[in-house]
Amino acid sequence: PPSLLHPDPHAAPPGLIVERSGLPISIVEAVAMRQELENLIGRYESILIAANSADSDPDLEMAAPPTTAAIEEDEERQKDEDEEPVEPNLTASADDTIPVNGASIAANEILQTAQQKLEEFNQLVSERNYAAARDHWLEARDLLWENLPTDRPIAQSEVRAIWLDRGTIVAARSRDGLARIFDQLAAAGINTVFFETVNAGYPIYPSDVAPQPNPLTRRWDPLEAAVDLAHERGMELHAWVWTFAAGNHAHNRVVNLPIDYPGPVISAHPDWAGYDNRGNLILSGQEEPFLDPANPAVRGYLLDLFEEIITRYDVDGLQLDYIRYPFQNANAGRSFGYGVAARQQFQRITGVDPITLSPGGSDERSRQLWQQWTEFRIEQVNSFVADTSDLIHRLRPNVVLSTAVFALPEPDRLQKIQQSWETWARAGEVDMIVLMTYAADTHRLQQLAAPWLSENANLGSTIILPGIRILNLSDAAVFDQIQALRDLPTEGYAIFATAHLQETLQAILTRTQGTGGADPIPYRQPFDAALNRFTALRREWSFLLSQDQLWIRGENLEAWRTEAEALEDALAELANDPSSRRLEQARTRLQTFRSQFAGWMHLQALTEDYRVQTWENRLATLENLLNYGERVVLEQDSDQAALENPQ
């Protein structure tokens, strides 16, 4: 059944489908289309501001403030709903252009045309001329996408990660072949590589723990080579491992094994396997057999494997993939987790074999037991993440622990795959939650990612890193999704996967983020990253002041300038010499600045709401970085000092 299909390789369907037709546009659809086009214009402006402000002096005194009378006059004009919008003017000079197919088009002209088409779209919808409205919407989107300013660096201090998949590694065939891949990734500005180290039960290196290494890499050690190649290029190398999934039909086909081969681990230890409620090793419609997370031997084996990876190799991180049960639909009579160990343990606890339970039990006791069985499986995953975190902190505390997880709503996720990654984040057991927010369009990406990036999500100090699946996306769509994440309160993004990185997209990434130098990586230097990001914000504000595109009431401008300078000084002191006292000073300055920011930007928000919201998002990211730094920098330093100087 489709509800049981493993969704890892598949992007979520578009959140907004716009095609040329004369079909009616509902009110809800019109609102969504208008909002998405407004956001696209906002993202385009964000790229221009970042590019044009890169060399600006962050001193906010460089432009004289407008008079109070001028500001009040503009406020009155903006209150009139029939007033034409202020035309954007974001280029540093009148001849600042964007090269497109050998020609040059003025960036302001592109923005003005797109804005005009948006206004015409609204009018055409009100006139019920739906065919023309759709045409105008698509023309505006295509105009912006076809003329994206990709000729200049625009990147900020961020995590720029990519999954380097097993197929690409195998195809490299040697260290020299792998070096060419790392050269390409480094040129594209990638600073973090999730290197597929354990796939379908096979380590990609010669292991003393696993039953069998990957037969396709027996003549060399790709992990050893990858660590050296990444570090030579100033990149981080994180070992990406399949956790509870222990085999794969697709891999069987590659190595000429029977399609139903369960993988080397389950083949060597059949009693380690998990089963569905009908006794099948693999749920219908899926391709991966899973281990039983409740089995102590399984847990011990995986922890030994992880220990081997992080102690034998100088990896910078460990990423847990398949850290869950397979997808299920218990209401349709298909559930999973009935390994020998799990059934025995649950029966000892409750006196009931879980195989006899179902979510639609005939009485309250049966339904309670089903809920208890669900919680039992959730706890097996949770406790294993905690054990892995303890292992890393004991052996190599500087190794970054991340998990690749689904962005499904929590109740849905707990029932379908027993994955409660919020628990790991709030407990501080992982450093990064990498969301598989794979979406066919930017609108859906934002829908998937935004709930988990809100401060109301209460996810502790863990970095939340959304992912972008680039297969079947145009270069413009990928670039647009990256910019959307940069405008949200995120510390970066992750791309899936290297196998799908085409030359044209790589060239865009090289131009826009591959020449920005070695900016601090947020999960490694959170305080330095916070300073870097706020300085970039001040450059944007200074650039806009110099272009008369940032208006703040005269009586507020001095307070804003003073508070911005004080905040930057506090962040610089913290980055240069981290301490609890300096952290509290920086945090207090940031909170004071954020509390006044909306008031300072009141006039700006009348015409540039998207831009102001983006700045507020970036200020929220600074707070995230301070919280993360408190745990991974200050608390780790304190723990290390205690070990070195026991009382």
Side-chain angles (χ1 to χ4, degrees):
S3 60
L4 293 179
L5 287 176
H6 182 321
D8 274 345
H10 306 293
L16 184 64
I17 299 176
V18 181
E19 298 175 337
R20 284 184 165 83
S21 78
L23 293 175
I25 299 175
S26 69
I27 294 176
V28 172
E29 187 179 9
V31 170
M33 291 173 69
R34 181 171 64 250
Q35 185 65 60
E36 176 57 21
L37 195 50
E38 288 175 350
N39 288 347
L40 178 55
I41 292 171
R43 294 192 292 270
Y44 192 97
E45 290 178 337
S46 290
I47 298 170
L48 284 176
I49 295 171
N52 288 324
S53 65
D55 298 324
S56 295
D57 186 335
D59 184 358
L60 300 179
E61 287 188 307
M62 62 185 297
T67 65
T68 301
I71 293 176
E72 290 177 348
E73 180 182 350
D74 192 73
E75 284 181 315
E76 289 300 319
R77 285 192 296 107
Q78 296 305 322
K79 289 178 183 178
D80 184 354
E81 294 182 352
D82 296 327
E83 182 71 28
E84 288 294 323
V86 175
E87 299 291 1
N89 178 24
L90 302 177
T91 55
S93 64
D95 59 358
D96 189 11
T97 59
I98 300 170
V100 181
N101 299 325
S104 294
I105 302 176
N108 284 335
E109 181 181 342
I110 293 167
L111 279 170
Q112 291 167 9
T113 302
Q115 185 67 45
Q116 180 181 350
K117 287 187 176 296
L118 172 60
E119 298 303 318
E120 291 170 351
F121 164 81
N122 294 332
Q123 181 62 32
L124 290 166
V125 170
S126 68
E127 296 172 355
R128 301 184 180 182
N129 188 347
Y130 300 123
R134 293 179 188 276
D135 287 346
H136 275 63
W137 193 96
L138 289 168
E139 288 167 3
R141 185 202 63 182
D142 292 346
L143 175 68
L144 294 167
W145 273 12
E146 291 167 3
N147 297 290
L148 285 168
T150 61
D151 59 319
R152 290 162 283 183
I154 61 168
Q156 55 190 344
S157 177
E158 62 192 356
V159 183
R160 295 191 290 275
I162 194 167
W163 281 278
L164 180 44
D165 53 283
R166 182 262 308 159
T168 302
I169 298 166
V170 170
R173 300 177 67 86
S174 67
R175 181 188 179 97
D176 288 344
L178 198 59
R180 288 190 286 273
I181 295 170
F182 274 87
D183 284 341
Q184 293 168 346
L185 298 181
I190 299 298
N191 55 33
T192 305
V193 177
F194 299 138
F195 190 80
E196 193 159 20
T197 301
V198 179
N199 167 286
Y202 298 98
I204 207 162
Y205 64 92
S207 172
D208 296 329
V209 175
Q212 182 183 343
N214 195 304
L216 302 173
T217 58
R218 282 178 174 159
R219 295 184 180 86
W220 64 302
D221 186 341
L223 182 56
E224 180 182 51
V227 170
D228 292 342
L229 294 169
H231 291 172
E232 288 169 3
R233 291 156 179 77
M235 306 161 74
E236 294 227 347
L237 196 288
H238 296 211
W240 158 28
V241 297
W242 291 26
T243 308
F244 295 127
N248 179 259
H249 286 174
H251 193 277
N252 292 343
R253 289 188 286 268
V254 171
V255 295
N256 297 316
L257 287 169
I259 194 68
D260 59 352
Y261 176 64
V265 180
I266 293 177
S267 181
H269 305 281
D271 57 322
W272 290 8
Y275 295 92
D276 72 5
N277 57 324
R278 301 179 185 180
N280 298 312
L281 191 62
I282 302 178
L283 283 160
S284 175
Q286 301 188 40
E287 295 193 337
E288 297 88 4
F290 273 67
L291 299 166
D292 179 3
N295 191 314
V298 167
R299 299 165 74 94
Y301 163 76
L302 291 172
L303 291 172
D304 287 346
L305 193 64
F306 299 165
E307 180 175 348
E308 180 180 61
I309 293 169
I310 67 173
T311 57
R312 181 183 295 183
Y313 299 92
D314 188 23
V315 297
D316 302 291
L318 181 73
Q319 180 175 101
L320 306 182
D321 196 3
Y322 290 93
I323 183 68
R324 57 177 177 82
Y325 286 77
F327 272 80
Q328 308 141 59
N329 187 344
N331 290 323
R334 303 303 302 276
S335 57
F336 196 91
Y338 303 93
V340 174
R343 290 175 67 178
Q344 290 176 346
Q345 290 176 32
F346 190 78
Q347 192 159 9
R348 281 199 300 269
I349 295 169
T350 65
V352 175
D353 186 343
I355 202 74
T356 66
L357 302 173
S358 66
S362 59
D363 54 59
E364 183 63 25
R365 168 65 174 162
S366 297
R367 291 189 288 273
Q368 289 177 351
L369 283 168
W370 173 260
Q371 181 59 32
Q372 191 172 349
W373 169 237
T374 300
E375 292 170 356
F376 172 87
R377 290 176 291 161
I378 294 169
E379 178 55 26
Q380 305 315 306
V381 180
N382 288 351
S383 61
F384 184 77
V385 172
D387 289 347
T388 303
S389 180
D390 289 343
L391 174 77
I392 289 175
H393 290 157
R394 176 168 53 85
L395 297 177
R396 286 192 60 199
N398 286 331
V399 167
V400 171
L401 179 60
S402 65
T403 55
V405 302
F406 286 97
L408 299 171
E410 184 178 18
D412 199 29
R413 193 172 357 101
L414 296 182
Q415 295 300 320
K416 290 183 176 180
I417 56 175
Q418 293 78 56
Q419 188 180 72
S420 179
W421 54 260
E422 295 90 343
T423 300
W424 323 333
R426 290 165 186 155
E429 293 166 346
V430 296
D431 299 302
M432 282 197 297
I433 295 289
V434 185
L435 297 174
M436 294 184 287
T437 44
Y438 305 152
D441 69 343
T442 306
H443 189 76
R444 178 55 60 87
L445 172 72
Q446 292 172 314
Q447 289 178 325
L448 291 172
W452 311 113
L453 302 174
S454 165
E455 292 178 275
N456 296 328
N458 187 27
L459 295 174
S461 59
T462 301
I463 288 175
I464 307 299
L465 193 70
I468 299 171
R469 179 177 180 266
I470 61 177
L471 180 63
N472 298 326
L473 290 181
S474 67
D475 294 344
V478 173
F479 193 69
D480 189 32
Q481 290 197 14
I482 290 174
Q483 188 59 45
L485 294 181
R486 284 177 172 152
D487 288 351
L488 288 170
T490 67
E491 287 81 11
Y493 65 86
I495 288 176
F496 186 85
T498 304
H500 312 310
L501 183 60
Q502 302 298 318
E503 290 184 6
T504 52
L505 177 59
Q506 180 187 320
I508 290 173
L509 298 180
T510 297
R511 292 193 300 271
T512 58
Q513 63 187 32
T515 58
D519 291 332
I521 304 176
Y523 61 73
R524 189 60 69 190
Q525 298 173 282
F527 297 145
D528 297 86
L531 173 61
N532 179 288
R533 282 188 162 220
F534 188 65
T535 301
L537 260 180
R538 293 191 71 198
R539 288 195 180 99
E540 288 191 7
W541 294 332
S542 289
F543 168 75
L544 291 171
L545 277 171
S546 72
Q547 299 295 300
D548 293 326
Q549 289 294 306
L550 185 59
W551 278 32
I552 299 177
R553 284 184 174 278
E555 60 268 25
N556 290 333
L557 184 61
E558 180 61 25
W560 174 56
R561 186 201 64 79
T562 301
E563 289 293 337
E565 186 176 281
L567 174 55
E568 186 165 35
D569 289 345
L571 291 172
E573 290 179 7
L574 175 63
N576 293 332
D577 188 10
S579 70
S580 296
R581 179 180 62 82
R582 291 185 179 88
L583 172 62
E584 286 310 308
Q585 289 175 340
R587 186 174 277 154
T588 298
R589 285 292 185 187
L590 176 57
Q591 291 171 348
T592 299
F593 191 86
R594 292 186 68 189
S595 69
Q596 300 177 73
F597 190 74
W600 291 330
M601 294 293 159
H602 168 71
L603 177 60
Q604 194 76 20
L606 293 175
T607 56
E608 302 289 349
D609 180 66
Y610 181 91
R611 191 182 304 171
V612 173
Q613 182 59 59
T614 295
W615 291 336
E616 290 179 341
N617 289 341
R618 291 171 66 181
L619 291 172
T621 303
L622 299 185
E623 193 151 326
N624 296 343
L625 289 169
L626 297 187
N627 293 337
Y628 176 79
E630 180 176 29
R631 175 167 65 85
V632 303
V633 176
L634 297 182
E635 291 183 8
Q636 282 187 8
D637 288 350
S638 177
D639 292 344
Q640 185 63 31
L643 289 173
E644 295 174 355
N645 302 288
Q647 297 297 322

